Amino acid sequence: MKKNKKKKKPLLTAAKAVMLLLTAVFSLIMTIMAGAGLIYNGDSYGRKLVNIGIILIISGILMTLGAFFCVFRKTLHNVISIICTVPGLVLCLVMLHRLCMHADNAGWTDSVTITPISDMYASRILPVIAPAALSLVIAIVQLFSFEAAEERRIKKQKKLDAENAQAPSIIG
């Protein structure tokens, strides 16, 4: 019996490409650079913002790992993708909120445009929602695809066949 070739899915492939590009720009570069900036200037900002910076870096790494794992079609990889992406996004958004609240309370503004610095942080970090959402959608679509369900069914059937196999004769 020949193994069926998997069908190409150009829409899913395009979504993965866009997600990886957005992840590289927003989840990886913007989030990690914002966190690194907070850590670098930690002497003048204080320990609270250094901790926010560390957690921003961790959240960026988690979201990037989630995007990386959802590229693969295996069930385990998609589960890992969801497990990494959701906490990464939640951590990032919570830390962004705390950072913006601190910046607003401290009265931080841009010296040229006199706009609040919290607006700059929000405009640079909030777009992480797009690649994280794409990662979640892709992972969920792949988890519940017909091919994945068929793969799990075949694996389960092989396990049942092995358990129910006739025992070898001990007499001879």
Side-chain angles (χ1 to χ4, degrees), residues 18-37 53-68 88-89 92 124-132:
V18 168
M19 180 224 25
L20 287 174
L21 180 66
L22 291 174
T23 298
V25 172
F26 295 112
S27 299
L28 193 60
I29 294 173
M30 291 296 191
T31 305
I32 290 178
M33 292 304 285
I54 291 169
I55 295 173
L56 276 174
I57 291 173
I58 291 169
S59 70
I61 292 169
L62 282 173
M63 289 184 291
T64 303
L65 283 173
F68 174 75
L89 181 63
C92 183
R124 290 184 182 177
I125 297 176
L126 262 183
V128 300
I129 295 171

Side-chain angles (χ1 to χ4, degrees), residues 76-95:
L76 179 62
H77 289 111
N78 288 308
V79 170
I80 292 171
S81 173
I82 293 169
I83 290 172
C84 288
T85 301
V86 171
L89 181 63
V90 169
L91 276 176
C92 183
L93 294 178
V94 168
M95 290 305 113

Side-chain angles (χ1 to χ4, degrees), residues 58-153:
I58 291 169
S59 70
I61 292 169
L62 282 173
M63 289 184 291
T64 303
L65 283 173
F68 174 75
F69 278 115
C70 88
V71 170
F72 306 105
R73 292 183 175 266
K74 298 283 184 187
T75 300
L76 179 62
H77 289 111
N78 288 308
V79 170
I80 292 171
S81 173
I82 293 169
I83 290 172
C84 288
T85 301
V86 171
L89 181 63
V90 169
L91 276 176
C92 183
L93 294 178
V94 168
M95 290 305 113
L96 175 62
H97 175 71
R98 288 185 179 176
L99 179 60
C100 289
M101 293 299 293
H102 180 83
D104 287 340
N105 291 338
W108 292 354
T109 58
D110 184 8
S111 60
V112 176
T113 61
I114 314 297
T115 58
I117 292 295
S118 60
D119 290 349
M120 179 201 65
Y121 281 125
S123 67
R124 290 184 182 177
I125 297 176
L126 262 183
V128 300
I129 295 171
L134 268 173
S135 176
L136 287 172
V137 168
I138 291 169
I140 289 170
V141 164
Q142 289 180 155
L143 266 175
F144 295 108
S145 69
F146 176 75
E147 292 88 9
E150 193 65 18
E151 181 182 308
R152 288 189 294 268
R153 187 192 63 77

